[in-house]
């Protein structure tokens, strides 16, 4: 085997190394094993024992402030890219703060999955997969687990009523796993 044979071997070795590097990078990027790994969280409904928000007590002796958390909006998750079920609630706590709560969530795991509030309407089927980043949205936090009950505190300065939908959003692939329209309670 002459110089041509050695060059060919070197070329094939370089091609194999490059192919393995691309495969490894693809595995790191896509994380396909995440589709088979379930994580479950069961957080209790948060309770706040701080002073009530201004105007919630003493406004009228006939209307006492609610004692305990109050659901002010809710919706049912529909599936988009992945089968997704569960309930979404916006809950006002005793101190006047708000929390987004996912109850009975069941979806796929995936890379960089987040909980978003969005001004986009919830559309069924493929038409709804990619709409949530078209307008205004608030990235609340990474999804804690793909199953269970979870709480996501809303920022105090956020007008959550300007965002009528919630999406379980995969930021890596810009796609909704599932979403729910919020209806005021």
């Amino acid at each position: 085997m002459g110089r041509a044979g050695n060059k060919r071997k070197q070329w094939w070795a370089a091609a194999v190394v490059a192919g393995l590097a691309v495969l490894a990078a693809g595995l790191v990027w896509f994380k396909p094993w995440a589709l088979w790994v379930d994580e479950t969280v069961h957080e209790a409904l948060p309770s706040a024992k701080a002073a009530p928000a201004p105007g919630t007590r003493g406004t009228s002796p006939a209307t006492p402030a609610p004692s305990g958390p109050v659901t002010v909006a809710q919706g049912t998750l529909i599936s988009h890219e992945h089968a997704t079920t569960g309930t979404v609630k916006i809950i006002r706590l005793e101190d006047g703060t708000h929390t987004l709560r996912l109850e009975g969530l069941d979806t796929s795991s995936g890379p960089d999955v987040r909980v978003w509030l969005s001004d986009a309407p919830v559309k069924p089927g493929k038409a709804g997969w990619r709409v949530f980043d078209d307008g205004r949205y608030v990235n609340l936090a990474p999804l804690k687990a793909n199953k269970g009950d979870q709480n996501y505190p809303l920022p105090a300065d956020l007008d959550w009523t300007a965002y009528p939908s919630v999406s379980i959003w995969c930021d890596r692939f810009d796609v909704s796993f599932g979403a729910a329209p919020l209806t005021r309670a």
Side-chain angles (χ1 to χ4, degrees), residues 4-131:
N6 281 338
K7 290 277 187 192
R8 207 173 309 135
K9 280 184 180 180
Q10 288 174 346
W11 184 89
W12 277 107
V16 167
V17 168
L20 288 174
V22 167
L23 177 64
L27 288 172
V28 168
W29 178 256
F30 286 100
K31 296 183 181 178
W33 56 86
L35 293 173
W36 295 283
V37 176
D38 287 331
E39 293 184 53
T40 303
V41 169
H42 290 293
E43 293 182 327
L45 183 64
S47 64
K49 299 294 182 189
T56 57
R57 287 193 194 262
T59 53
S60 165
T63 350
S67 62
V70 176
T71 300
V72 294
Q74 65 183 13
T76 301
L77 288 162
I78 65 166
S79 298
H80 281 147
E81 173 71 16
H82 294 272
T84 302
T85 58
T87 303
V88 178
K89 294 180 179 181
I90 303 288
I91 299 173
R92 185 178 63 241
L93 302 176
E94 291 177 80
D95 65 356
T97 62
H98 291 86
T99 293
L100 185 143
R101 181 165 171 82
L102 300 174
E103 292 184 343
L105 175 67
D106 189 354
T107 190
S108 295
S109 189
D112 205 14
V113 181
R114 304 187 163 271
V115 179
W116 279 15
L117 283 172
S118 174
D119 67 353
V122 175
K123 298 176 184 176
K126 286 189 175 187
W129 286 16
R130 300 186 185 274
V131 300

Side-chain angles (χ1 to χ4, degrees), residues 153-178:
L154 300 182
D157 61 344
L158 175 69
D159 176 12
W160 61 267
T161 62
Y163 301 93
S165 60
V166 174
S167 174
I168 307 302
W169 183 259
C170 180
D171 214 19
R172 172 86 38 93
F173 297 106
D174 293 327
V175 66
S176 174
F177 279 20

